[in-house]
Amino acid sequence: MPSPPARLTVLTTIIGCLLVSACGASGAVDRGSAQPMPSAGPFTTSAPASATSPAIATTTAPTPTGPPPQRGTLEWYIGQLPHFDPPPLPTKVTVLPTSGRALQINQVPVGGQRVAFITIDDGWLKDPQVVTLLRAAGVPFTMFLTSDAIKSDPQYFVQLQALGGVIEDHTITHPQLTGLSYDRQRKEICTNRATLDKLYGRAPTIMRAPYGLSNADTLRAAASCGIGANVFWDEYAITGSVTWQRPGGIHPGDMVLMHFDEYLKANLVATLQAFHRDGITPALLEDYLVAPGHASDLVRWAA
């Protein structure tokens, strides 16, 4: 990590770039109808450890005593977590537009930093053990939440927000947006954003279109709602293993997709093991895709 003066110099440069919107932005790329397909195979194990990250509540996994925990228990999942150093200070950020069309981003520009991003969608299954697991992991993550999925217990996600998780937009009902008119797309995005703002005290600045399907109307509607980017994914974890959409493992700038479902604990561990194996550190998506006016969020990295 840079020394404090050097980090402050980098931070000043980044904030200056944000204020003049001069740090560049990713071009639009449409992956069309690509959707995740089920994968199979157990994840591999690694040495027990814990991880820490700036501005995220962390808990060190206790040193095990007695018989090893039974496979599939919460204690066993915690024991599989790899250790990560804190994510590095961003050296390149994408300033999101405030009008016109939201950016379509399929891989995040990270300026050479070996970082990638954990993303979790929907919100249907609210497993309390996931809260404990993410607390022990201590890594940044972003949640793309759907109003219909979270309404049975919206407070569940407050717990995850308290761990440093950031909540973004994933529509009200999870429709295929490309089959809807501009006005109906706008309602799905804008109303969901307003609901999440009311519940969690932050208006989303990023969205993920359900099923990864979007078109020009989606990007225009998103921008009209205050959303600056629609993101896809680069890898996904569905049944306890990571599925690659291109060879070479986890790449810098990749976003890994998983869901709030029965496999989430296994998917989180499999994904974090893949990050560790490939020398990639989990970072916060919102530190690299930054809405104008949010430059002050980066101050925490100078601490």
Side-chain angles (χ1 to χ4, degrees):
M1 293 291 292
S3 64
R7 295 173 72 194
L8 289 175
T9 298
V10 172
L11 178 65
T12 301
T13 301
I14 292 173
I15 293 176
C17 287
L18 293 177
L19 294 177
V20 298
S21 298
C23 287
S26 172
V29 180
D30 186 3
R31 287 197 181 178
S33 60
Q35 300 181 47
M37 297 295 291
S39 60
F43 55 77
T44 57
T45 61
S46 62
S50 62
T52 59
S53 181
I56 296 176
T58 62
T59 299
T60 301
T63 302
T65 59
Q70 182 178 354
R71 184 181 180 90
T73 63
L74 175 60
E75 293 75 14
W76 184 82
Y77 284 119
I78 290 174
Q80 308 307 307
L81 292 171
H83 170 80
F84 295 96
D85 291 330
L89 181 73
T91 58
K92 177 181 177 62
V93 298
T94 298
V95 180
L96 302 181
T98 58
S99 61
R101 288 171 50 142
L103 301 178
Q104 175 65 44
I105 295 181
N106 299 331
Q107 187 175 36
V108 181
V110 294
Q113 301 283 34
R114 292 192 62 78
V115 298
F117 308 98
I118 303 293
T119 68
I120 315 173
D121 284 13
D122 299 345
W124 290 106
L125 183 64
K126 303 159 186 70
D127 182 353
Q129 291 190 353
V130 167
V131 179
T132 304
L133 183 63
L134 282 167
R135 181 180 294 114
V139 297
F141 58 99
T142 296
M143 299 171 278
F144 291 92
L145 299 185
T146 300
S147 290
D148 278 3
I150 68 173
K151 64 185 179 183
S152 64
D153 185 11
Q155 289 302 303
Y156 172 84
F157 302 96
V158 173
Q159 302 174 74
L160 297 175
Q161 192 179 33
L163 299 179
V166 178
I167 293 170
E168 302 289 7
D169 200 320
H170 199 42
T171 73
I172 305 170
T173 66
H174 204 278
Q176 182 175 316
L177 290 175
T178 53
L180 303 182
S181 67
Y182 170 82
D183 287 340
R184 289 182 63 191
Q185 290 197 48
R186 190 173 186 278
K187 180 179 180 180
E188 284 282 343
I189 298 165
C190 292
T191 305
N192 192 61
R193 182 177 188 261
T195 298
L196 297 176
D197 186 15
K198 181 178 180 180
L199 287 172
Y200 305 112
R202 177 187 178 275
T205 59
I206 303 170
M207 68 169 284
R208 173 174 279 149
Y211 313 108
L213 299 175
S214 62
N215 57 21
D217 280 348
T218 308
L219 301 181
R220 290 194 303 111
S224 76
C225 298
I227 299 290
N230 177 54
V231 299
F232 196 72
W233 58 84
D234 303 282
E235 285 83 37
Y236 53 89
I238 295 181
T239 56
S241 63
V242 181
T243 295
W244 316 105
Q245 297 198 163
R246 58 180 175 145
I250 305 291
H251 304 79
D254 281 357
M255 293 171 281
V256 182
L257 167 68
M258 57 198 82
H259 295 84
F260 285 99
D261 60 18
E262 62 184 304
Y263 299 104
L264 182 53
K265 293 191 295 291
N267 289 334
L268 281 165
V269 172
T271 298
L272 291 175
Q273 288 182 351
F275 273 55
H276 191 262
R277 180 197 65 220
D278 296 333
I280 301 292
T281 300
L284 186 65
L285 184 63
E286 289 75 9
D287 283 343
Y288 288 82
L289 303 181
V290 182
H294 287 216
S296 61
D297 293 346
L298 294 176
V299 169
R300 71 178 182 276
W301 296 109

